[in-house]
Amino acid sequence: MSRLSLDRLEKRYGDTVAVGSVSLDIAEGELVVLLGPSGCGKTTTLRMVAGFIDATAGDVRLDGASILALPPHRREMGLVFQSYALFPHLTVARNIAFGLEMRGTPRPARDARVAEMLRLTRLESLADRLPRNLSGGQQQRVALARALAINPRVLLLDEPLSNLDAALRADVGRDIRLLQRASGLTTIMVTHDQDEAMAMADRLVVMKDGFVQQTGTQEEVYERPATPFVAGFIGRANMLGGALSDGIFAVEDTTLHLAGRYAATGPATLALRPERLSLGPPGPAVPGSVAGTVELASYLGAIREHLVRIGPDRRIVVRDATAGPARLHHAGESVAVRWGVDAERLFDAAEMPLMDLNPPGWSVKPGHSRLDAIQQQQ
Amino acid sequence: MDAAGERRQGAAAATFLAPATLVVMVMLMAPLLLLLRFSLNRYDRTELMIETVTGANYLRFFSDPFYIGVMRTTLAVAALSTLLCLLLGLPLAYRLARMQSRWKTACMLGIVLPLFIGSTVRMVGWMILFAHGGVIDAVARWFNGRGMEVMYTSFAVIAGIVSINLPFVVLTIQSTIETIDTRLEEAAGSLGAPPARMFWRIVWPLALPGTATAGILCFILAMNAYATPYLLGGPRFQMMAPLLYWEFSTNNNWPFASALALLLMTTTLLMTACANWIIPARYRA
């Protein structure tokens, strides 16, 4: 169990920045997920921590002591690879024992530890199999058992679930999370899959082009994305580029009435969460609304999805739960899309988020009391 | 598939394979059978080959310490040059396989390029280096005043064979190492294996099939080497291939030459089978 901190960690290849100044403090037993699209530098960061790539600048400290000068085999990190990288010529038990053998652990202690890991990962019956005779999920568990057997100071997970069937992924993810919790291991996980990240992390680090876009809990990055990229990458968002002036957001000839009040004017980006929008009959231009026409309506089981055209070539997606009272609209129907302050997030031209000037709690949930009140007045 | 279908497919396969099989049989087996037949004949100075069935040629080989000695020299030279090729080739192949820069192409070319020149021509190069009054001799003379005789020694022959076989060995092993995922090496590292132990525990066992193939290839080539021992070994350093050619062309003793050829082939095959048998089953290619 250790504290890990990355201090302005940087990797350059000539003029290209692979990782630019990543700073991160990971508490004991915390699971931090580095999340981003491919090429965002998340894997490079992980490999620098593991020692496979030399950092250009910055430092990696484990319990306060720099480990940058240590070769990988002396860093005591448990690493689970995306491809698992199991030794194909060794049985499951020998794979798990490998790290202990390298440490010179005496035979009885080694056997006991291997047996314990086999039990923990429910692999007892497969101990004498070769990796090629295992399923993907079983191989994954061997990789995890092998990494945990050495009691690493830090656990590093490189896209641990991406080679598994979608059906297995959630289960295995939960298993990993439980094991990690039980052993209290400080962990960094790298993934491009936001669902995986949301499900497993204590804290998320969203990266793009080598730079950290935002660090925070799931709720923080979802509710208060720091950049338009985060708004689009975490969860879904309708992204609209337009001009902001006095409560009105204009996208070419389409006018959206914002739910919040903003001091800034000028070019801006609006992100609207589809699942926080609702559809209603066309009505007056109240705050948090835009008029449109339904183009596509799909019933997807748990949710309904409407594609609403709000401008000549401008569409937004509205998703709501089928459990709610609303109905599926027909294509061609005229509607008003409505939302509350928590559905919208505005960014200025410099991609900085704009703050709603309304006092908190002034506006309640999307399209309800305030909107209903106005409608009732009419 | 039912049994009849399988049979039908088997028959179709046999039809397609028949011409090629026939060609191989005729081209490969016929000369060998001929050789076997010749080796049982008797040699006469005036009539050359007299048809009969006798084991005299084989008896002569096994009863004459000279021929046994030549076979022993051949085996020793082949084994030693195979060992040297593997010792030199393995690290070279590993470095080459793990290279990523644009130098890799250049280095690959450097390995392959010698193969573009005939082995006899390359031997002439070695002769210039080794010969009495050659480069090594001249340099040594400049240092110690006595010079150094390298030509016509076992060292010269082994150096020549290694230089010819090394590219094959490197290329064979390198292609095997290329198939070993570098993540395995990283995994071993992260589990606490320093590079040397990682190589021994992970790369070596996984590269063993390719290394064995390379070794066998090298051994067969060395056992049958002709130009190298002939040019660099001279008349006193006898190996099987030059000896049997000499029996065949100079002595015109076809029966005995045939017996030598079959004995050389059998020995090589036996050694190869042994090598394959030593390698644990799970590593076999």
Side-chain angles (χ1 to χ4, degrees):
Chain A
M1 268 178 269
S2 303
R3 250 177 327 106
L4 182 72
S5 54
L6 317 187
D7 182 11
R8 283 162 290 171
L9 197 61
E10 202 174 297
K11 181 65 190 177
R12 290 170 189 280
Y13 295 101
D15 288 337
T16 36
V17 179
V19 173
S21 199
V22 170
S23 291
L24 184 64
D25 279 301
I26 305 171
E28 271 187 27
E30 192 182 17
L31 193 157
V32 169
V33 172
L34 305 184
L35 175 65
S38 62
C40 74
K42 55 189 194 299
T43 300
T44 309
T45 307
L46 189 85
R47 292 171 65 76
M48 280 196 279
V49 174
F52 299 133
I53 297 180
D54 293 325
T56 312
D59 203 359
V60 179
R61 280 188 288 270
L62 200 55
D63 289 329
S66 173
I67 56 165
L68 266 196
L70 293 179
H73 65 271
R74 294 184 52 205
R75 291 199 183 189
E76 294 180 64
M77 304 220 165
L79 187 50
V80 175
F81 290 84
Q82 181 174 10
S83 57
Y84 313 138
L86 300 178
F87 305 131
H89 58 301
L90 299 180
T91 61
V92 168
R94 293 291 304 280
N95 260 282
I96 298 174
F98 189 87
L100 302 168
E101 281 176 43
M102 291 304 122
R103 277 163 178 69
T105 312
R107 193 64 195 258
R110 195 165 79 204
D111 290 347
R113 181 71 181 153
V114 170
E116 187 191 346
M117 293 321 299
L118 286 170
R119 190 177 47 74
L120 250 137
T121 47
R122 306 189 307 279
L123 290 164
E124 292 107 321
S125 57
L126 306 173
D128 297 321
R129 294 250 195 114
L130 285 176
R132 62 165 167 269
N133 300 326
L134 300 180
S135 73
Q138 290 164 341
Q139 289 187 23
Q140 214 276 351
R141 298 212 297 274
V142 178
L144 192 66
R146 187 178 67 176
L148 292 176
I150 59 170
N151 275 319
R153 298 176 72 183
V154 175
L155 181 63
L156 304 174
L157 306 169
D158 184 7
E159 306 254 10
L161 306 178
S162 66
N163 279 347
L164 297 176
D165 296 337
L168 263 176
R169 232 172 259 179
D171 289 345
V172 176
R174 267 191 289 274
D175 282 353
I176 293 180
R177 186 69 170 127
L178 288 173
L179 274 174
Q180 182 264 339
R181 272 277 174 76
S183 48
L185 271 171
T186 310
T187 305
I188 301 183
M189 173 171 142
V190 155
T191 182
H192 65 274
D193 184 315
Q194 53 123 342
D195 292 329
E196 233 173 83
M198 297 290 260
M200 294 183 67
D202 285 316
R203 210 143 49 99
L204 295 165
V205 177
V206 184
M207 294 180 73
K208 183 199 173 202
D209 299 335
F211 289 90
V212 173
Q213 299 272 308
Q214 188 173 5
T215 304
T217 62
Q218 285 87 330
E219 193 179 339
E220 280 163 3
V221 293
Y222 183 78
E223 297 291 346
R224 292 177 291 283
T227 66
F229 173 78
V230 177
F233 197 75
I234 304 291
R236 295 163 191 237
N238 295 295
M239 305 291 282
L240 298 161
L244 173 67
S245 65
D246 197 25
I248 300 252
F249 188 76
V251 186
E252 287 160 20
D253 353 339
T254 311
T255 307
L256 292 95
H257 300 272
L258 297 172
R261 287 198 295 125
Y262 302 90
T265 55
T269 306
L270 172 65
L272 288 171
R273 294 275 180 221
E275 59 278 18
R276 292 198 173 166
L277 305 178
S278 60
L279 290 181
V286 292
S289 73
V290 64
T293 313
V294 173
E295 268 200 342
L296 266 181
S298 324
Y299 186 93
L300 303 176
I303 51 163
R304 273 181 288 262
E305 192 173 88
H306 291 91
L307 185 69
V308 180
R309 194 160 63 107
I310 57 167
D313 194 25
R314 200 70 55 184
R315 289 163 187 83
I316 60 177
V317 175
V318 178
R319 293 157 76 95
D320 59 359
T322 44
R327 62 181 177 87
L328 194 67
H329 289 72
H330 307 293
E333 225 177 302
S334 287
V335 288
V337 180
R338 296 191 176 120
W339 65 90
V341 189
D342 58 359
E344 73 183 22
R345 185 83 168 163
L346 270 157
F347 301 93
D348 64 14
E351 303 205 332
M352 292 296 288
L354 298 172
M355 291 302 142
D356 176 20
L357 298 178
N358 287 319
W362 184 82
S363 157
V364 208
K365 288 294 148 188
H368 291 307
S369 53
R370 187 166 141 230
L371 197 64
D372 296 343
I374 294 166
Q375 277 175 330
Q376 275 160 16
Q377 282 167 9
Q378 290 159 351
Chain B
M1 205 187 298
D2 56 83
E6 249 170 64
R7 245 194 325 274
R8 230 183 357 260
Q9 207 178 30
T15 316
F16 283 114
L17 284 174
T21 314
L22 214 67
V23 169
V24 170
M25 289 294 273
V26 171
M27 304 290 277
L28 190 77
M29 291 311 287
L32 279 179
L33 288 174
L34 205 63
L35 219 55
L36 183 65
R37 181 68 198 87
F38 281 3
S39 74
L40 300 175
N41 284 346
R42 200 160 57 79
Y43 170 74
D44 184 87
R45 261 177 226 286
T46 47
E47 293 186 49
L48 296 182
M49 191 154 68
I50 299 167
E51 288 218 10
T52 170
V53 177
T54 167
N57 294 310
Y58 294 97
L59 204 65
R60 181 179 166 203
F61 177 85
F62 286 110
S63 56
D64 191 334
F66 170 75
Y67 295 116
I68 295 288
V70 171
M71 180 62 95
R72 199 176 288 144
T73 310
T74 309
L75 277 169
V77 166
L80 210 61
S81 42
T82 302
L83 193 70
L84 273 173
C85 271
L86 291 179
L87 282 178
L88 293 172
L90 198 62
L92 209 61
Y94 179 72
R95 289 293 301 169
L96 207 61
R98 290 298 181 242
M99 253 186 196
Q100 284 184 329
S101 61
R102 57 209 148 87
W103 290 108
K104 183 171 183 165
T105 322
C107 290
M108 287 291 285
L109 205 66
I111 301 281
V112 177
L113 218 52
L115 299 178
F116 281 73
I117 307 161
S119 57
T120 317
V121 179
R122 270 184 286 160
M123 283 315 107
V124 172
W126 283 111
M127 286 168 82
I128 294 168
L129 213 60
F130 289 154
H132 184 76
V135 177
I136 291 179
D137 193 30
V139 171
R141 193 180 305 279
W142 194 73
F143 275 108
N144 63 11
R146 283 177 286 108
M148 195 159 93
E149 286 292 340
V150 192
M151 198 66 175
Y152 305 141
T153 62
S154 50
F155 170 81
V157 176
I158 290 173
I161 291 178
V162 167
S163 80
I164 287 176
N165 290 359
L166 198 55
F168 297 112
V169 169
V170 170
L171 291 177
T172 310
I173 300 179
Q174 182 238 353
S175 67
T176 306
I177 294 180
E178 296 269 13
T179 64
I180 303 172
D181 189 356
T182 52
R183 304 279 147 151
L184 295 182
E185 298 177 23
E186 291 179 354
S190 79
L191 290 166
R197 284 189 85 182
M198 179 281 291
F199 185 88
W200 181 241
R201 291 291 307 271
I202 304 301
V203 178
W204 168 251
L206 291 175
L208 199 55
T211 311
T213 308
I216 288 168
L217 182 74
C218 182
F219 183 78
I220 294 174
L221 286 173
M223 282 294 281
N224 297 294
Y226 175 75
T228 313
Y230 185 76
L231 294 173
L232 296 180
R236 279 176 300 139
F237 192 87
Q238 291 283 0
M239 277 175 71
M240 285 299 282
L243 176 73
L244 89 85
Y245 182 72
W246 186 80
E247 286 289 351
F248 177 83
S249 65
T250 313
N251 278 3
N252 276 324
N253 189 345
W254 287 21
F256 188 54
S258 302
L260 286 180
L262 282 175
L263 284 166
L264 178 60
M265 196 184 79
T266 311
T267 313
T268 311
L269 283 177
L270 269 175
M271 298 306 288
T272 307
C274 279
N276 214 29
W277 180 64
I278 289 168
I279 299 166
R282 65 191 149 134
Y283 297 139
R284 254 173 239 165

